[in-house]
Amino acid sequence: MKATIITIGDEILIGQITDTNSGFIAKAFEKIGVQIHEMISISDNQEHILSTFAKVQNQVDFVIITGGLGPTKDDITKITLCTYFQDVLVRNSEVEEHIVNLFTKMNYAITQVNRDQAMVPSKAIVLQNSHGTAPGMWMQKDETVFVSLPGVPYEMRAIVTNELIPKIVKTYKRPYIIHKTILTYGQGESIVAARIEDWEDSLPSFVKLAYLPSPGRVRLRLTARGTEEKLLQKTIAELVIKLTELINDIIVGFEEEDNIEVVLGKYLTQKEYTLSTAESCTGGMISEIITSVAGSSNYFRGSIVSYATDVKTSLLKVPPATIKEFSVVSKEVAEAMALGVQKLMQTDFAIATTGNAGPAKGDSEVDLGVVCVAVATPNGVFSEEFNFGQPRQKVIDRAVNKGLEMLLKEILKNY
């Protein structure tokens, strides 16, 4: 089965907002065996919307539309659906009751404009929106099902998860698609590919391998497609065992959810370890990633973003003499920062970064792209120096990943 995703909104086309809805929908559909045929972004123009509908009609099984649903006059999707399906809007009592209850619960005054969001095409099957007022709508023409969803991400996700996916699973027989994603750290794509070349060449025809590289990490995604679920699961499990034997030293997790910050969180929680960070060139990004994990308050105590040199000396107690002798971008200063925040926050572990991210040099004359990362442990402190080159964002991203990688490796040594 195939699907096309259509995002509607001038704000996407002019770059005012980033389309995150398509990625979420694509992942949800892949998990249930529906292949995404294409993604299209179009303007808030009825003629454009109608011509796009006609283009994809009967080319795919599902057309998923996001955006253009709301209380304001520029939200034209419902009117356009009526035109395309030769339909009229009618008031849906269940949707209206939900809207009234929602506004009452929030103690907001409800207007006629809000009530009119209960107007839906008469041929539509309503998909309830538990997180907002604009319902989802399921309409079919010939061989294609059109599903219209609100563009607000958390509302769209709720409808997809709670209403749309269960309805598709219940209604249609689909092929099985089994994914397994292996997360590796510390080696580049070409090195990993060379290490697993023979294994990759021996993959069965119904299994595909994708390399998904990003700074400091490579995700290896195995995808098996077919009609026999047990065979697919057995094959993937056997392939992962063989792959693990080849690159066990750089594997840090499995599945997309097991990224390095999640893996770190599991180990820190299980061992009841605590963590803090002292960041200069990374500007708080390490702590941001760590705290993106639910439950991180169990192990993460806090961070000092010591961007200025005098903050390093005053808050983290880095000796001025150390900075004068080795430069503010040095392994010695990184280690002093790590020890300083470890003592200040009273944590078992600490990560520290100092470097020249660019594009101009700061308080150090070391080359642009040079970053020093230190990890303080209950048994001491160690550090490494790297040159990540340019541009600036690449340097920051690699420094963040390297700090997390160094900490994970240290924890695993004694786990």
Side-chain angles (χ1 to χ4, degrees), residues 54-83:
K55 173 188 172 185
V56 300
Q57 176 73 54
N58 297 331
Q59 300 300 307
V60 292
D61 302 284
F62 300 98
V63 176
I64 312 301
I65 309 150
T66 69
L69 296 180
T72 55
K73 292 181 179 180
D74 64 335
D75 291 321
I76 63 171
T77 300
K78 283 193 289 189
I79 299 297
T80 306
L81 284 170
C82 284
T83 301

PDB file of all heavy atoms in Angstrom, residues 54-83:
ATOM      1  N   ALA A  54      -6.303  16.025  -7.693  1.00  0.00           N
ATOM      2  CA  ALA A  54      -6.572  15.315  -8.943  1.00  0.00           C
ATOM      3  C   ALA A  54      -5.336  14.548  -9.424  1.00  0.00           C
ATOM      4  O   ALA A  54      -5.450  13.442  -9.970  1.00  0.00           O
ATOM      5  CB  ALA A  54      -7.026  16.309 -10.017  1.00  0.00           C
ATOM      6  N   LYS A  55      -4.175  15.121  -9.199  1.00  0.00           N
ATOM      7  CA  LYS A  55      -2.931  14.489  -9.640  1.00  0.00           C
ATOM      8  C   LYS A  55      -2.671  13.175  -8.905  1.00  0.00           C
ATOM      9  O   LYS A  55      -2.225  12.182  -9.499  1.00  0.00           O
ATOM     10  CB  LYS A  55      -1.768  15.459  -9.418  1.00  0.00           C
ATOM     11  CG  LYS A  55      -0.402  14.851  -9.672  1.00  0.00           C
ATOM     12  CD  LYS A  55       0.710  15.810  -9.253  1.00  0.00           C
ATOM     13  CE  LYS A  55       2.074  15.126  -9.321  1.00  0.00           C
ATOM     14  NZ  LYS A  55       3.152  16.004  -8.810  1.00  0.00           N
ATOM     15  N   VAL A  56      -2.954  13.147  -7.601  1.00  0.00           N
ATOM     16  CA  VAL A  56      -2.630  11.957  -6.803  1.00  0.00           C
ATOM     17  C   VAL A  56      -3.786  10.962  -6.749  1.00  0.00           C
ATOM     18  O   VAL A  56      -3.607   9.829  -6.302  1.00  0.00           O
ATOM     19  CB  VAL A  56      -2.221  12.356  -5.368  1.00  0.00           C
ATOM     20  CG1 VAL A  56      -0.998  13.254  -5.390  1.00  0.00           C
ATOM     21  CG2 VAL A  56      -3.376  13.054  -4.634  1.00  0.00           C
ATOM     22  N   GLN A  57      -4.969  11.376  -7.223  1.00  0.00           N
ATOM     23  CA  GLN A  57      -6.136  10.498  -7.209  1.00  0.00           C
ATOM     24  C   GLN A  57      -5.840   9.175  -7.918  1.00  0.00           C
ATOM     25  O   GLN A  57      -5.356   9.150  -9.055  1.00  0.00           O
ATOM     26  CB  GLN A  57      -7.308  11.196  -7.890  1.00  0.00           C
ATOM     27  CG  GLN A  57      -8.558  10.353  -8.023  1.00  0.00           C
ATOM     28  CD  GLN A  57      -9.268  10.160  -6.691  1.00  0.00           C
ATOM     29  OE1 GLN A  57      -9.585  11.135  -6.011  1.00  0.00           O
ATOM     30  NE2 GLN A  57      -9.502   8.910  -6.321  1.00  0.00           N
ATOM     31  N   ASN A  58      -6.103   8.061  -7.221  1.00  0.00           N
ATOM     32  CA  ASN A  58      -5.929   6.700  -7.743  1.00  0.00           C
ATOM     33  C   ASN A  58      -4.474   6.325  -8.038  1.00  0.00           C
ATOM     34  O   ASN A  58      -4.214   5.247  -8.582  1.00  0.00           O
ATOM     35  CB  ASN A  58      -6.780   6.479  -9.002  1.00  0.00           C
ATOM     36  CG  ASN A  58      -8.267   6.593  -8.719  1.00  0.00           C
ATOM     37  OD1 ASN A  58      -8.730   6.309  -7.605  1.00  0.00           O
ATOM     38  ND2 ASN A  58      -9.036   7.021  -9.706  1.00  0.00           N
ATOM     39  N   GLN A  59      -3.544   7.203  -7.680  1.00  0.00           N
ATOM     40  CA  GLN A  59      -2.122   6.860  -7.802  1.00  0.00           C
ATOM     41  C   GLN A  59      -1.614   6.197  -6.522  1.00  0.00           C
ATOM     42  O   GLN A  59      -0.624   5.458  -6.548  1.00  0.00           O
ATOM     43  CB  GLN A  59      -1.291   8.120  -8.089  1.00  0.00           C
ATOM     44  CG  GLN A  59      -1.679   8.838  -9.363  1.00  0.00           C
ATOM     45  CD  GLN A  59      -1.531   7.969 -10.588  1.00  0.00           C
ATOM     46  OE1 GLN A  59      -0.455   7.389 -10.817  1.00  0.00           O
ATOM     47  NE2 GLN A  59      -2.591   7.857 -11.374  1.00  0.00           N
ATOM     48  N   VAL A  60      -2.289   6.456  -5.412  1.00  0.00           N
ATOM     49  CA  VAL A  60      -1.914   5.889  -4.113  1.00  0.00           C
ATOM     50  C   VAL A  60      -3.184   5.473  -3.377  1.00  0.00           C
ATOM     51  O   VAL A  60      -4.299   5.839  -3.761  1.00  0.00           O
ATOM     52  CB  VAL A  60      -1.118   6.903  -3.256  1.00  0.00           C
ATOM     53  CG1 VAL A  60       0.251   7.180  -3.851  1.00  0.00           C
ATOM     54  CG2 VAL A  60      -1.907   8.205  -3.096  1.00  0.00           C
ATOM     55  N   ASP A  61      -2.997   4.720  -2.307  1.00  0.00           N
ATOM     56  CA  ASP A  61      -4.143   4.266  -1.512  1.00  0.00           C
ATOM     57  C   ASP A  61      -4.620   5.341  -0.543  1.00  0.00           C
ATOM     58  O   ASP A  61      -5.810   5.439  -0.250  1.00  0.00           O
ATOM     59  CB  ASP A  61      -3.752   3.000  -0.733  1.00  0.00           C
ATOM     60  CG  ASP A  61      -3.298   1.885  -1.655  1.00  0.00           C
ATOM     61  OD1 ASP A  61      -4.157   1.257  -2.281  1.00  0.00           O
ATOM     62  OD2 ASP A  61      -2.071   1.668  -1.763  1.00  0.00           O
ATOM     63  N   PHE A  62      -3.671   6.125  -0.004  1.00  0.00           N
ATOM     64  CA  PHE A  62      -4.007   7.147   0.983  1.00  0.00           C
ATOM     65  C   PHE A  62      -3.366   8.477   0.597  1.00  0.00           C
ATOM     66  O   PHE A  62      -2.216   8.514   0.148  1.00  0.00           O
ATOM     67  CB  PHE A  62      -3.508   6.760   2.386  1.00  0.00           C
ATOM     68  CG  PHE A  62      -4.083   5.479   2.913  1.00  0.00           C
ATOM     69  CD1 PHE A  62      -3.377   4.292   2.816  1.00  0.00           C
ATOM     70  CD2 PHE A  62      -5.340   5.454   3.506  1.00  0.00           C
ATOM     71  CE1 PHE A  62      -3.895   3.109   3.287  1.00  0.00           C
ATOM     72  CE2 PHE A  62      -5.873   4.280   3.993  1.00  0.00           C
ATOM     73  CZ  PHE A  62      -5.158   3.092   3.879  1.00  0.00           C
ATOM     74  N   VAL A  63      -4.119   9.537   0.790  1.00  0.00           N
ATOM     75  CA  VAL A  63      -3.568  10.891   0.705  1.00  0.00           C
ATOM     76  C   VAL A  63      -3.781  11.535   2.064  1.00  0.00           C
ATOM     77  O   VAL A  63      -4.924  11.722   2.501  1.00  0.00           O
ATOM     78  CB  VAL A  63      -4.271  11.720  -0.391  1.00  0.00           C
ATOM     79  CG1 VAL A  63      -3.746  13.160  -0.375  1.00  0.00           C
ATOM     80  CG2 VAL A  63      -4.047  11.087  -1.754  1.00  0.00           C
ATOM     81  N   ILE A  64      -2.690  11.846   2.745  1.00  0.00           N
ATOM     82  CA  ILE A  64      -2.762  12.437   4.078  1.00  0.00           C
ATOM     83  C   ILE A  64      -2.458  13.919   3.967  1.00  0.00           C
ATOM     84  O   ILE A  64      -1.391  14.320   3.507  1.00  0.00           O
ATOM     85  CB  ILE A  64      -1.769  11.768   5.052  1.00  0.00           C
ATOM     86  CG1 ILE A  64      -1.884  10.243   4.963  1.00  0.00           C
ATOM     87  CG2 ILE A  64      -2.007  12.259   6.473  1.00  0.00           C
ATOM     88  CD1 ILE A  64      -3.270   9.709   5.287  1.00  0.00           C
ATOM     89  N   ILE A  65      -3.413  14.744   4.385  1.00  0.00           N
ATOM     90  CA  ILE A  65      -3.318  16.198   4.231  1.00  0.00           C
ATOM     91  C   ILE A  65      -3.190  16.821   5.611  1.00  0.00           C
ATOM     92  O   ILE A  65      -3.968  16.506   6.517  1.00  0.00           O
ATOM     93  CB  ILE A  65      -4.591  16.753   3.551  1.00  0.00           C
ATOM     94  CG1 ILE A  65      -4.891  15.980   2.262  1.00  0.00           C
ATOM     95  CG2 ILE A  65      -4.478  18.242   3.304  1.00  0.00           C
ATOM     96  CD1 ILE A  65      -6.361  15.910   1.938  1.00  0.00           C
ATOM     97  N   THR A  66      -2.213  17.691   5.807  1.00  0.00           N
ATOM     98  CA  THR A  66      -2.113  18.429   7.069  1.00  0.00           C
ATOM     99  C   THR A  66      -2.108  19.922   6.775  1.00  0.00           C
ATOM    100  O   THR A  66      -1.524  20.372   5.801  1.00  0.00           O
ATOM    101  CB  THR A  66      -0.847  18.075   7.869  1.00  0.00           C
ATOM    102  OG1 THR A  66       0.309  18.578   7.194  1.00  0.00           O
ATOM    103  CG2 THR A  66      -0.705  16.577   8.058  1.00  0.00           C
ATOM    104  N   GLY A  67      -2.789  20.678   7.648  1.00  0.00           N
ATOM    105  CA  GLY A  67      -2.840  22.130   7.510  1.00  0.00           C
ATOM    106  C   GLY A  67      -4.150  22.588   6.907  1.00  0.00           C
ATOM    107  O   GLY A  67      -4.910  21.820   6.306  1.00  0.00           O
ATOM    108  N   GLY A  68      -4.435  23.864   7.106  1.00  0.00           N
ATOM    109  CA  GLY A  68      -5.614  24.458   6.516  1.00  0.00           C
ATOM    110  C   GLY A  68      -6.902  24.202   7.268  1.00  0.00           C
ATOM    111  O   GLY A  68      -7.982  24.538   6.777  1.00  0.00           O
ATOM    112  N   LEU A  69      -6.804  23.596   8.457  1.00  0.00           N
ATOM    113  CA  LEU A  69      -7.988  23.383   9.281  1.00  0.00           C
ATOM    114  C   LEU A  69      -7.900  24.285  10.494  1.00  0.00           C
ATOM    115  O   LEU A  69      -6.930  24.212  11.250  1.00  0.00           O
ATOM    116  CB  LEU A  69      -8.072  21.919   9.749  1.00  0.00           C
ATOM    117  CG  LEU A  69      -8.246  20.844   8.679  1.00  0.00           C
ATOM    118  CD1 LEU A  69      -8.317  19.467   9.333  1.00  0.00           C
ATOM    119  CD2 LEU A  69      -9.496  21.092   7.858  1.00  0.00           C
ATOM    120  N   GLY A  70      -8.883  25.121  10.705  1.00  0.00           N
ATOM    121  CA  GLY A  70      -8.846  26.023  11.844  1.00  0.00           C
ATOM    122  C   GLY A  70     -10.045  26.945  11.830  1.00  0.00           C
ATOM    123  O   GLY A  70     -10.896  26.885  10.931  1.00  0.00           O
ATOM    124  N   PRO A  71     -10.123  27.852  12.804  1.00  0.00           N
ATOM    125  CA  PRO A  71     -11.298  28.707  12.921  1.00  0.00           C
ATOM    126  C   PRO A  71     -11.270  29.943  12.025  1.00  0.00           C
ATOM    127  O   PRO A  71     -12.280  30.633  11.898  1.00  0.00           O
ATOM    128  CB  PRO A  71     -11.271  29.120  14.396  1.00  0.00           C
ATOM    129  CG  PRO A  71      -9.817  29.114  14.748  1.00  0.00           C
ATOM    130  CD  PRO A  71      -9.213  27.993  13.949  1.00  0.00           C
ATOM    131  N   THR A  72     -10.145  30.245  11.401  1.00  0.00           N
ATOM    132  CA  THR A  72     -10.036  31.501  10.660  1.00  0.00           C
ATOM    133  C   THR A  72     -10.399  31.318   9.195  1.00  0.00           C
ATOM    134  O   THR A  72     -10.417  30.206   8.671  1.00  0.00           O
ATOM    135  CB  THR A  72      -8.603  32.066  10.764  1.00  0.00           C
ATOM    136  OG1 THR A  72      -7.676  31.068  10.320  1.00  0.00           O
ATOM    137  CG2 THR A  72      -8.275  32.425  12.209  1.00  0.00           C
ATOM    138  N   LYS A  73     -10.646  32.432   8.510  1.00  0.00           N
ATOM    139  CA  LYS A  73     -11.144  32.396   7.142  1.00  0.00           C
ATOM    140  C   LYS A  73     -10.097  31.904   6.146  1.00  0.00           C
ATOM    141  O   LYS A  73     -10.448  31.495   5.028  1.00  0.00           O
ATOM    142  CB  LYS A  73     -11.647  33.782   6.736  1.00  0.00           C
ATOM    143  CG  LYS A  73     -12.902  34.215   7.490  1.00  0.00           C
ATOM    144  CD  LYS A  73     -13.380  35.594   7.048  1.00  0.00           C
ATOM    145  CE  LYS A  73     -14.639  36.005   7.795  1.00  0.00           C
ATOM    146  NZ  LYS A  73     -15.118  37.337   7.398  1.00  0.00           N
ATOM    147  N   ASP A  74      -8.815  31.960   6.503  1.00  0.00           N
ATOM    148  CA  ASP A  74      -7.798  31.510   5.563  1.00  0.00           C
ATOM    149  C   ASP A  74      -7.607  29.997   5.604  1.00  0.00           C
ATOM    150  O   ASP A  74      -6.813  29.458   4.827  1.00  0.00           O
ATOM    151  CB  ASP A  74      -6.458  32.217   5.825  1.00  0.00           C
ATOM    152  CG  ASP A  74      -5.864  31.882   7.186  1.00  0.00           C
ATOM    153  OD1 ASP A  74      -6.636  31.514   8.089  1.00  0.00           O
ATOM    154  OD2 ASP A  74      -4.636  32.000   7.331  1.00  0.00           O
ATOM    155  N   ASP A  75      -8.328  29.312   6.481  1.00  0.00           N
ATOM    156  CA  ASP A  75      -8.241  27.853   6.546  1.00  0.00           C
ATOM    157  C   ASP A  75      -9.315  27.278   5.628  1.00  0.00           C
ATOM    158  O   ASP A  75     -10.491  27.185   5.986  1.00  0.00           O
ATOM    159  CB  ASP A  75      -8.436  27.371   7.987  1.00  0.00           C
ATOM    160  CG  ASP A  75      -7.259  27.751   8.872  1.00  0.00           C
ATOM    161  OD1 ASP A  75      -6.120  27.668   8.392  1.00  0.00           O
ATOM    162  OD2 ASP A  75      -7.482  28.131  10.031  1.00  0.00           O
ATOM    163  N   ILE A  76      -8.901  26.880   4.431  1.00  0.00           N
ATOM    164  CA  ILE A  76      -9.852  26.586   3.358  1.00  0.00           C
ATOM    165  C   ILE A  76      -9.956  25.109   3.018  1.00  0.00           C
ATOM    166  O   ILE A  76     -10.661  24.749   2.064  1.00  0.00           O
ATOM    167  CB  ILE A  76      -9.464  27.368   2.087  1.00  0.00           C
ATOM    168  CG1 ILE A  76      -8.080  26.918   1.589  1.00  0.00           C
ATOM    169  CG2 ILE A  76      -9.496  28.863   2.342  1.00  0.00           C
ATOM    170  CD1 ILE A  76      -7.718  27.490   0.232  1.00  0.00           C
ATOM    171  N   THR A  77      -9.297  24.253   3.754  1.00  0.00           N
ATOM    172  CA  THR A  77      -9.243  22.849   3.363  1.00  0.00           C
ATOM    173  C   THR A  77     -10.628  22.211   3.335  1.00  0.00           C
ATOM    174  O   THR A  77     -10.968  21.468   2.408  1.00  0.00           O
ATOM    175  CB  THR A  77      -8.318  22.067   4.308  1.00  0.00           C
ATOM    176  OG1 THR A  77      -7.003  22.631   4.251  1.00  0.00           O
ATOM    177  CG2 THR A  77      -8.229  20.611   3.900  1.00  0.00           C
ATOM    178  N   LYS A  78     -11.454  22.477   4.351  1.00  0.00           N
ATOM    179  CA  LYS A  78     -12.786  21.858   4.390  1.00  0.00           C
ATOM    180  C   LYS A  78     -13.634  22.282   3.197  1.00  0.00           C
ATOM    181  O   LYS A  78     -14.336  21.462   2.586  1.00  0.00           O
ATOM    182  CB  LYS A  78     -13.490  22.210   5.706  1.00  0.00           C
ATOM    183  CG  LYS A  78     -12.986  21.415   6.899  1.00  0.00           C
ATOM    184  CD  LYS A  78     -13.884  21.533   8.107  1.00  0.00           C
ATOM    185  CE  LYS A  78     -13.824  22.887   8.743  1.00  0.00           C
ATOM    186  NZ  LYS A  78     -14.542  22.912  10.048  1.00  0.00           N
ATOM    187  N   ILE A  79     -13.582  23.565   2.856  1.00  0.00           N
ATOM    188  CA  ILE A  79     -14.337  24.063   1.708  1.00  0.00           C
ATOM    189  C   ILE A  79     -13.841  23.401   0.425  1.00  0.00           C
ATOM    190  O   ILE A  79     -14.626  23.007  -0.451  1.00  0.00           O
ATOM    191  CB  ILE A  79     -14.205  25.599   1.590  1.00  0.00           C
ATOM    192  CG1 ILE A  79     -14.775  26.269   2.856  1.00  0.00           C
ATOM    193  CG2 ILE A  79     -14.907  26.107   0.348  1.00  0.00           C
ATOM    194  CD1 ILE A  79     -16.248  26.023   3.068  1.00  0.00           C
ATOM    195  N   THR A  80     -12.523  23.243   0.336  1.00  0.00           N
ATOM    196  CA  THR A  80     -11.934  22.639  -0.858  1.00  0.00           C
ATOM    197  C   THR A  80     -12.301  21.161  -0.957  1.00  0.00           C
ATOM    198  O   THR A  80     -12.558  20.644  -2.053  1.00  0.00           O
ATOM    199  CB  THR A  80     -10.409  22.821  -0.843  1.00  0.00           C
ATOM    200  OG1 THR A  80     -10.092  24.202  -0.682  1.00  0.00           O
ATOM    201  CG2 THR A  80      -9.792  22.311  -2.132  1.00  0.00           C
ATOM    202  N   LEU A  81     -12.332  20.473   0.174  1.00  0.00           N
ATOM    203  CA  LEU A  81     -12.753  19.071   0.173  1.00  0.00           C
ATOM    204  C   LEU A  81     -14.192  18.944  -0.325  1.00  0.00           C
ATOM    205  O   LEU A  81     -14.519  18.018  -1.084  1.00  0.00           O
ATOM    206  CB  LEU A  81     -12.614  18.475   1.577  1.00  0.00           C
ATOM    207  CG  LEU A  81     -11.204  18.138   2.038  1.00  0.00           C
ATOM    208  CD1 LEU A  81     -11.197  17.778   3.533  1.00  0.00           C
ATOM    209  CD2 LEU A  81     -10.623  16.978   1.231  1.00  0.00           C
ATOM    210  N   CYS A  82     -15.045  19.864   0.109  1.00  0.00           N
ATOM    211  CA  CYS A  82     -16.430  19.841  -0.359  1.00  0.00           C
ATOM    212  C   CYS A  82     -16.501  20.027  -1.871  1.00  0.00           C
ATOM    213  O   CYS A  82     -17.289  19.370  -2.572  1.00  0.00           O
ATOM    214  CB  CYS A  82     -17.253  20.920   0.339  1.00  0.00           C
ATOM    215  SG  CYS A  82     -17.700  20.494   2.032  1.00  0.00           S
ATOM    216  N   THR A  83     -15.682  20.918  -2.400  1.00  0.00           N
ATOM    217  CA  THR A  83     -15.653  21.137  -3.842  1.00  0.00           C
ATOM    218  C   THR A  83     -15.192  19.880  -4.567  1.00  0.00           C
ATOM    219  O   THR A  83     -15.793  19.461  -5.563  1.00  0.00           O
ATOM    220  CB  THR A  83     -14.715  22.314  -4.183  1.00  0.00           C
ATOM    221  OG1 THR A  83     -15.169  23.490  -3.515  1.00  0.00           O
ATOM    222  CG2 THR A  83     -14.670  22.562  -5.691  1.00  0.00           C
TER     223      THR A  83
END
